[in-house]
Amino acid sequence: RKEVEQDPGPFNVPEGATVAFNCTYSNSASQSFFWYRQDCRKEPKLLMSVYSSGNEDGRFTAQLNRASQYISLLIRDSKLSDSATYLCAVVPNFGNEKLTFGTGTRLTIIP
Amino acid sequence: GAVVSQHPSRVICKSGTSVKIECRSLDFQATTMFWYRQFPKQSLMLMATSNEGSKATYEQGVEKDKFLINHASLTLSTLTVTSAHPEDSSFYICSARSLNRGETPYGYTFGSGTRLTVV
Protein backbone atom coordinates (compact mmCIF):
# COMPACT_ATOMS: atom_id res chain seq x y z
CA ARG A 1 0.00 0.00 0.00
CA LYS A 2 1.31 3.43 -0.91
CA GLU A 3 2.16 5.75 1.96
CA VAL A 4 -0.03 8.50 0.58
CA GLU A 5 -2.84 7.98 -1.91
CA GLN A 6 -4.99 10.36 -3.88
CA ASP A 7 -7.56 10.07 -6.61
CA PRO A 8 -5.62 11.29 -9.67
CA GLY A 9 -8.75 12.68 -11.30
CA PRO A 10 -9.04 14.58 -13.52
CA PHE A 11 -11.75 16.68 -11.93
CA ASN A 12 -13.46 19.01 -14.38
CA VAL A 13 -15.84 21.35 -12.62
CA PRO A 14 -17.64 24.54 -13.65
CA GLU A 15 -16.54 27.89 -12.37
CA GLY A 16 -18.19 28.74 -9.09
CA ALA A 17 -18.67 25.15 -8.03
CA THR A 18 -17.39 23.57 -4.84
CA VAL A 19 -14.92 20.74 -5.16
CA ALA A 20 -13.42 18.43 -2.57
CA PHE A 21 -10.38 16.18 -2.59
CA ASN A 22 -9.43 13.42 -0.20
CA CYS A 23 -6.09 11.92 0.51
CA THR A 24 -5.39 8.84 2.63
CA TYR A 25 -2.19 7.98 4.44
CA SER A 26 -1.03 4.60 5.69
CA ASN A 27 1.16 5.48 8.68
CA SER A 28 -0.98 6.17 11.72
CA ALA A 29 2.00 7.85 13.41
CA SER A 30 2.16 10.56 10.75
CA GLN A 31 2.59 13.96 12.30
CA SER A 32 2.33 16.73 9.75
CA PHE A 33 0.04 17.18 6.80
CA PHE A 34 0.00 19.65 3.95
CA TRP A 35 -1.75 20.52 0.73
CA TYR A 36 0.36 21.80 -2.13
CA ARG A 37 -0.60 23.22 -5.47
CA GLN A 38 1.50 22.48 -8.53
CA ASP A 39 1.10 24.20 -11.86
CA CYS A 40 2.35 22.56 -15.01
CA ARG A 41 6.14 22.28 -15.15
CA LYS A 42 6.56 24.25 -11.92
CA GLU A 43 7.58 23.43 -8.38
CA PRO A 44 4.87 22.73 -5.79
CA LYS A 45 3.67 25.69 -3.77
CA LEU A 46 2.38 25.30 -0.24
CA LEU A 47 -1.35 25.90 -0.12
CA MET A 48 -1.94 25.19 3.53
CA SER A 49 -0.99 23.01 6.43
CA VAL A 50 -3.66 20.74 7.85
CA TYR A 51 -4.40 20.74 11.56
CA SER A 52 -6.49 18.41 13.64
CA SER A 53 -8.92 21.20 14.37
CA GLY A 54 -9.30 21.97 10.69
CA ASN A 55 -8.28 25.22 9.15
CA GLU A 56 -9.64 27.66 6.64
CA ASP A 57 -7.99 30.18 4.37
CA GLY A 58 -10.43 32.14 2.29
CA ARG A 59 -12.15 29.74 -0.10
CA PHE A 60 -10.00 26.82 1.01
CA THR A 61 -10.73 24.54 3.94
CA ALA A 62 -8.56 21.65 5.06
CA GLN A 63 -9.53 18.89 7.45
CA LEU A 64 -7.69 16.03 9.12
CA ASN A 65 -9.38 12.82 10.22
CA ARG A 66 -6.88 10.83 12.24
CA ALA A 67 -9.25 7.99 12.99
CA SER A 68 -9.79 7.27 9.30
CA GLN A 69 -6.34 8.47 8.29
CA TYR A 70 -7.31 10.94 5.64
CA ILE A 71 -7.04 14.62 4.94
CA SER A 72 -9.34 16.65 2.78
CA LEU A 73 -9.31 19.91 0.88
CA LEU A 74 -12.45 21.83 0.01
CA ILE A 75 -12.44 24.65 -2.52
CA ARG A 76 -15.52 26.86 -2.58
CA ASP A 77 -16.58 29.22 -5.35
CA SER A 78 -13.90 27.83 -7.64
CA LYS A 79 -12.08 30.19 -9.98
CA LEU A 80 -10.44 29.53 -13.31
CA SER A 81 -7.12 30.24 -11.62
CA ASP A 82 -7.68 27.27 -9.31
CA SER A 83 -6.91 24.94 -12.21
CA ALA A 84 -3.80 23.02 -11.16
CA THR A 85 -2.69 19.74 -9.65
CA TYR A 86 -3.26 19.45 -5.91
CA LEU A 87 -0.83 17.31 -3.97
CA CYS A 88 -1.24 16.16 -0.44
CA ALA A 89 1.94 15.63 1.54
CA VAL A 90 2.66 13.88 4.80
CA VAL A 91 5.58 13.77 7.18
CA PRO A 92 5.52 10.12 8.29
CA ASN A 93 6.73 10.40 11.88
CA PHE A 94 8.90 12.21 14.37
CA GLY A 95 12.57 12.03 13.56
CA ASN A 96 11.79 11.43 9.92
CA GLU A 97 11.32 14.74 8.22
CA LYS A 98 10.82 13.39 4.72
CA LEU A 99 7.85 14.94 2.98
CA THR A 100 5.99 12.19 1.16
CA PHE A 101 3.65 13.23 -1.61
CA GLY A 102 0.51 11.74 -3.02
CA THR A 103 0.16 11.31 -6.76
CA GLY A 104 -1.76 14.56 -7.08
CA THR A 105 -5.26 15.35 -8.29
CA ARG A 106 -5.63 17.27 -11.50
CA LEU A 107 -8.33 19.97 -11.31
CA THR A 108 -9.62 21.92 -14.28
CA ILE A 109 -12.14 24.71 -13.77
CA ILE A 110 -14.38 25.15 -16.78
CA PRO A 111 -15.71 28.63 -17.69
CA GLY B 1 10.53 34.85 2.70
CA ALA B 2 12.87 31.92 2.32
CA VAL B 3 14.11 31.29 -1.20
CA VAL B 4 15.91 28.37 -2.76
CA SER B 5 17.57 29.09 -6.08
CA GLN B 6 17.88 26.06 -8.36
CA HIS B 7 19.97 25.98 -11.52
CA PRO B 8 19.83 25.20 -14.31
CA SER B 9 16.11 25.34 -14.97
CA ARG B 10 16.44 23.31 -18.14
CA VAL B 11 19.23 21.19 -19.51
CA ILE B 12 19.58 18.95 -22.53
CA CYS B 13 22.54 16.63 -22.57
CA LYS B 14 23.86 13.74 -24.56
CA SER B 15 23.57 10.22 -23.28
CA GLY B 16 26.62 9.25 -21.25
CA THR B 17 27.46 12.72 -20.01
CA SER B 18 27.05 14.05 -16.46
CA VAL B 19 24.86 16.91 -15.35
CA LYS B 20 25.15 18.91 -12.15
CA ILE B 21 22.16 20.61 -10.57
CA GLU B 22 22.65 23.23 -7.86
CA CYS B 23 20.35 24.40 -5.13
CA ARG B 24 21.25 27.41 -3.02
CA SER B 25 19.38 28.75 -0.05
CA LEU B 26 19.57 32.51 -0.44
CA ASP B 27 18.53 33.86 2.92
CA PHE B 28 18.64 30.98 5.34
CA GLN B 29 20.77 28.02 6.29
CA ALA B 30 19.56 24.79 4.78
CA THR B 31 20.63 22.12 7.22
CA THR B 32 18.69 19.45 5.35
CA MET B 33 18.10 19.18 1.61
CA PHE B 34 15.69 16.78 -0.03
CA TRP B 35 16.01 15.83 -3.68
CA TYR B 36 12.93 14.75 -5.61
CA ARG B 37 12.29 13.46 -9.11
CA GLN B 38 9.03 13.78 -10.95
CA PHE B 39 8.13 11.95 -14.15
CA PRO B 40 5.29 13.26 -16.35
CA LYS B 41 1.88 12.93 -14.73
CA GLN B 42 3.40 11.34 -11.65
CA SER B 43 4.05 12.59 -8.17
CA LEU B 44 7.26 13.81 -6.63
CA MET B 45 9.34 10.85 -5.56
CA LEU B 46 11.98 11.42 -2.92
CA MET B 47 15.40 10.33 -4.11
CA ALA B 48 17.61 11.24 -1.18
CA THR B 49 18.02 13.33 1.93
CA SER B 50 21.23 15.15 2.70
CA ASN B 51 22.37 16.91 5.83
CA GLU B 52 25.13 19.47 5.71
CA GLY B 53 28.51 17.83 6.12
CA SER B 54 27.15 14.27 6.04
CA LYS B 55 26.67 11.62 3.42
CA ALA B 56 23.28 11.57 1.77
CA THR B 57 20.68 8.96 2.64
CA TYR B 58 19.17 7.45 -0.47
CA GLU B 59 15.71 6.02 -0.87
CA GLN B 60 15.30 2.41 -1.83
CA GLY B 61 15.91 1.85 -5.51
CA VAL B 62 17.91 5.04 -6.07
CA GLU B 63 21.50 4.38 -7.17
CA LYS B 64 23.84 6.43 -5.03
CA ASP B 65 26.71 6.04 -7.49
CA LYS B 66 24.58 7.42 -10.28
CA PHE B 67 23.01 10.32 -8.39
CA LEU B 68 25.81 11.99 -6.48
CA ILE B 69 24.73 14.42 -3.80
CA ASN B 70 27.01 16.92 -2.13
CA HIS B 71 25.90 19.15 0.72
CA ALA B 72 29.19 20.69 1.75
CA SER B 73 27.82 23.97 3.07
CA LEU B 74 24.70 25.24 4.75
CA THR B 75 23.68 27.15 1.65
CA LEU B 76 24.56 24.83 -1.21
CA SER B 77 23.62 21.31 -2.22
CA THR B 78 24.31 19.70 -5.59
CA LEU B 79 22.94 16.68 -7.40
CA THR B 80 25.05 15.21 -10.17
CA VAL B 81 23.45 12.77 -12.57
CA THR B 82 26.36 10.71 -13.81
CA SER B 83 26.42 8.91 -17.14
CA ALA B 84 22.93 10.11 -17.89
CA HIS B 85 20.63 8.03 -20.05
CA PRO B 86 17.30 8.88 -21.68
CA GLU B 87 15.41 7.17 -18.85
CA ASP B 88 16.91 9.74 -16.45
CA SER B 89 14.99 12.47 -18.26
CA SER B 90 12.78 13.97 -15.60
CA PHE B 91 11.97 17.01 -13.48
CA TYR B 92 14.34 17.26 -10.52
CA ILE B 93 13.39 19.46 -7.56
CA CYS B 94 15.18 20.24 -4.33
CA SER B 95 13.57 21.17 -1.05
CA ALA B 96 15.38 22.74 1.87
CA ARG B 97 14.72 22.72 5.59
CA SER B 98 16.30 24.97 8.15
CA LEU B 99 17.44 24.02 11.62
CA ASN B 100 15.44 27.01 12.77
CA ARG B 101 11.95 26.11 11.66
CA GLY B 102 10.93 29.70 11.85
CA GLU B 103 13.21 30.57 8.98
CA THR B 104 11.12 28.76 6.40
CA PRO B 105 7.36 28.79 6.21
CA TYR B 106 6.25 25.46 7.61
CA GLY B 107 9.79 24.22 7.16
CA TYR B 108 10.03 23.23 3.48
CA THR B 109 11.17 25.56 0.71
CA PHE B 110 11.30 24.23 -2.83
CA GLY B 111 13.60 25.15 -5.66
CA SER B 112 12.01 25.92 -9.02
CA GLY B 113 13.07 22.61 -10.50
CA THR B 114 15.35 21.42 -13.29
CA ARG B 115 13.95 19.78 -16.38
CA LEU B 116 16.54 17.32 -17.64
CA THR B 117 16.31 15.84 -21.11
CA VAL B 118 18.86 13.23 -22.11
CA VAL B 119 19.11 12.59 -25.83
Side-chain angles (χ1 to χ4, degrees):
Chain A
R1 182 184 173 187
K2 290 183 180 177
E3 286 189 72
V4 182
E5 294 200 70
Q6 287 182 256
D7 180 348
F11 283 51
N12 300 312
V13 302
E15 191 175 6
T18 295
V19 60
F21 308 129
N22 277 349
C23 171
T24 59
Y25 59 95
S26 61
N27 187 340
S28 60
S30 296
Q31 297 298 323
S32 302
F33 309 88
F34 307 91
W35 281 103
Y36 281 82
R37 170 197 169 122
Q38 186 177 28
D39 293 292
C40 190
R41 297 175 176 265
K42 300 284 188 181
E43 77 276 21
K45 302 277 191 186
L46 180 67
L47 189 60
M48 54 201 312
S49 294
V50 188
Y51 304 117
S52 297
S53 55
N55 47 306
E56 185 174 314
D57 182 4
R59 298 182 292 108
F60 299 84
T61 301
Q63 295 278 354
L64 166 63
N65 185 316
R66 286 194 180 272
S68 301
Q69 293 181 207
Y70 75 85
I71 62 173
S72 64
L73 177 68
L74 183 77
I75 305 175
R76 290 181 298 278
D77 187 24
S78 53
K79 312 290 185 190
L80 296 177
S81 57
D82 294 333
S83 298
T85 295
Y86 291 83
L87 299 153
C88 62
V90 175
V91 176
N93 48 48
F94 280 130
N96 178 349
E97 297 184 326
K98 298 186 295 186
L99 199 54
T100 301
F101 286 89
T103 51
T105 299
R106 176 68 196 160
L107 172 67
T108 300
I109 306 300
I110 303 166
Chain B
V3 175
V4 171
S5 175
Q6 183 171 348
H7 293 282
S9 58
R10 300 189 67 141
V11 58
I12 301 173
C13 71
K14 290 185 177 181
S15 186
T17 61
S18 294
V19 175
K20 180 184 282 189
I21 301 169
E22 287 190 355
C23 277
R24 292 182 183 272
S25 55
L26 298 186
D27 48 6
F28 68 100
Q29 294 183 331
T31 49
T32 304
M33 191 73 79
F34 303 93
W35 286 94
Y36 291 85
R37 177 169 55 180
Q38 186 177 33
F39 292 108
K41 297 187 178 181
Q42 295 187 25
S43 188
L44 285 82
M45 297 302 297
L46 182 65
M47 299 173 67
T49 303
S50 72
N51 291 297
E52 183 266 336
S54 304
K55 288 185 178 179
T57 301
Y58 290 81
E59 295 299 301
Q60 192 173 11
V62 178
E63 299 174 60
K64 63 179 181 180
D65 294 328
K66 180 171 182 61
F67 299 99
L68 302 179
I69 291 173
N70 185 288
H71 193 167
S73 79
L74 286 171
T75 58
L76 174 64
S77 178
T78 62
L79 166 68
T80 301
V81 183
T82 62
S83 187
H85 289 99
E87 57 265 31
D88 298 323
S89 299
S90 188
F91 190 51
Y92 293 85
I93 310 177
C94 62
S95 175
R97 283 209 85 176
S98 166
L99 186 64
N100 179 357
R101 299 289 178 263
E103 288 186 332
T104 57
Y106 306 106
Y108 300 90
T109 302
F110 284 84
S112 55
T114 297
R115 190 158 301 281
L116 170 64
T117 303
V118 185
V119 297

